[in-house]
Amino acid sequence: MNETRVLTKTEAHAIIERVIGQLKHLKGGAMEETCPIGIISMENWEWPQGVGLFSLYLYYRKTNKQEVKQYLIDWFDRSIAEGLPSKNVNTMCPMLTLSFLAEETGREDYMTLCREWAEYAVMEMPRTVEGGIQHVVSGQLNEGELWDDTLYMTVLFVCRMGLLLEKESYLDESMYQFLLHLKYLTDRRTGLLFHGWTFNGNYHFAEALWARGNSWYTAGLVDYLEMIELPKPIKRLLLSALEQQTSKLAELQAADGMWHTLLDDPKSYTETSATAAFAYGILKAVRKGYLPEIYSEVGMKAYNAVVSKIDPDGVVHGVSYGTGMGRTLQEYRDIPICPMPYGQSMTLLMLVEGLEH
């Protein structure tokens, strides 16, 4: 699909319903899981499920479909009854959606959990040199490490709770984490983000310009800016980083509209979840006036490329499995491909944004 057109609203809504249906019912078993907590099935509490829940919540907010809201409430009630995992950067991700449900439903049990987890994130979560949130994940401390994933998985929730609880210290922390991560992860040659940085040796691991990691910034920033009114100099800096990133993305976009899993390596496979997140972030940023209109074509080309990866049942194909910090670039090229919650959910966000264009 090379034409840069948006689906009609009827077409988009039909595909959205199929994508949501598959998101809700993804199960492990298609491949052997390597993460300590399963990240394929929506029955688990981890970052992929958190991304999926947030996309469903934004879709509910857009459409007011009560069955979507009820699915979210049922999911959290079931998960809370079963017992939550230990607190870390990735398991924080579902809390963002819970914070919205807590406010909307007035349920104190939801809000109590949100307060507890937010306080842990701000006051107790391990830090690196200079106070960066250490990318602690299930089964791995990652001492001294900053990862670009952290901004989406934890920092958005910290900001959200700062607003809900009127805690300026939480808002300040969210701003600081965005700035610090940009300081250490930005590749000054390209404006793209490296996957990670370690203070234990001061280097960027494999120097991977990993697509999905970059897309967490693109997609996360536009959602962050919808939450918070930033001081003008900080907003200006974050948006300038976004435009530098997007300018390079436009240069590296494949002919079919996709991006490669290693953005600057055309021999690495193209990857759908990152392409969907880039499309979402770029199209939304253009609509909100954060990026110049010239980037609309880049976003729409990616939009159509992702639509072509959705099969008739609503399964999004070409999505890479969870990706830890690679010590070599080959490790990124070798990550297996299978349907994942974040592939479904980033595609959902993109399709819903497409309704605005």
Side-chain angles (χ1 to χ4, degrees), residues 84-332:
L84 301 189
S86 62
K87 300 179 183 72
N88 61 52
V89 167
N90 284 346
T91 57
M92 282 280 160
C93 192
M95 300 304 295
L96 179 60
T97 302
L98 189 62
S99 71
F100 283 99
L101 290 176
E103 181 181 40
E104 190 162 328
T105 63
R107 284 182 53 170
E108 189 53 40
D109 57 336
Y110 285 2
M111 187 58 77
T112 297
L113 271 176
C114 290
R115 284 195 190 96
E116 175 191 326
W117 282 59
E119 184 175 2
Y120 177 84
V122 176
M123 305 302 296
E124 300 179 53
M125 188 172 278
R127 292 299 199 268
T128 68
V129 174
E130 295 189 41
I133 292 178
Q134 181 175 308
H135 195 81
V136 179
V137 299
S138 301
Q140 194 69 40
L141 285 176
N142 296 324
E143 185 177 348
E145 297 181 15
L146 297 176
W147 295 25
D148 47 18
D149 320 41
T150 301
L151 297 174
Y152 200 97
M153 305 311 162
T154 291
V155 177
L156 292 183
F157 170 61
V158 168
C159 172
R160 168 70 180 155
M161 290 307 294
L163 295 168
L164 271 183
L165 303 178
E166 297 182 348
K167 282 185 174 279
E168 190 173 339
S169 61
Y170 287 16
L171 300 177
D172 288 347
E173 182 70 10
S174 74
M175 292 180 235
Y176 182 76
Q177 293 302 327
F178 261 92
L179 295 174
L180 189 73
H181 279 72
L182 281 182
K183 175 182 176 181
Y184 281 101
L185 298 181
T186 300
D187 174 20
R188 284 160 175 49
R189 297 166 300 171
T190 63
L192 302 173
L193 301 180
F194 291 117
H195 188 182
W197 166 267
T198 177
F199 287 99
N200 298 330
N202 296 326
Y203 60 96
H204 290 110
F205 298 97
E207 297 192 354
L209 300 173
W210 177 47
R212 191 162 60 241
N214 270 267
S215 75
W216 293 132
Y217 183 75
T218 317
L221 180 62
V222 292
D223 291 337
Y224 183 57
L225 292 174
E226 259 192 337
M227 291 185 206
I228 183 173
E229 187 62 42
L230 292 171
K232 288 181 181 178
I234 293 178
K235 183 176 181 180
R236 181 180 174 187
L237 188 143
L238 296 181
L239 287 178
S240 71
L242 177 66
E243 185 162 2
Q244 287 296 308
Q245 182 201 48
T246 307
S247 174
K248 191 63 177 180
L249 288 173
E251 179 185 324
L252 295 174
Q253 190 172 26
D256 65 357
M258 299 286 286
W259 279 280
H260 296 270
T261 197
L262 290 171
L263 289 166
D264 57 343
D265 177 10
K267 293 183 179 178
S268 66
Y269 60 76
T270 54
E271 205 280 327
T272 308
S273 69
T275 300
F278 285 136
Y280 167 71
I282 291 169
L283 289 173
K284 188 170 182 176
V286 170
R287 176 170 62 85
K288 302 282 279 186
Y290 303 149
L291 285 175
E293 181 65 35
I294 57 170
Y295 292 113
S296 180
E297 184 176 351
V298 175
M300 286 311 309
K301 191 174 179 182
Y303 174 101
N304 284 312
V306 172
V307 168
S308 74
K309 299 293 184 180
I310 307 170
D311 73 18
D313 294 324
V315 177
V316 178
H317 293 277
V319 178
S320 63
Y321 184 69
T323 305
M325 186 59 61
R327 267 57 180 180
T328 68
L329 295 178
Q330 191 59 40
E331 291 177 47
Y332 292 88

Side-chain angles (χ1 to χ4, degrees), residues 8 20 22 33 42-44 56 70 81 99 120 144 154 159 174 201 215 230 238 276 331-332 334 339 346-347 351-352:
T8 67
I20 288 175
Q22 292 295 339
E33 294 254 39
M42 278 300 290
E43 299 305 308
N44 298 316
L56 287 171
Q70 192 58 51
S99 71
Y120 177 84
T154 291
C159 172
S174 74
S215 75
L230 292 171
L238 296 181
E331 291 177 47
Y332 292 88
D334 292 341
M346 298 316 295
T347 298
L351 290 169
V352 173

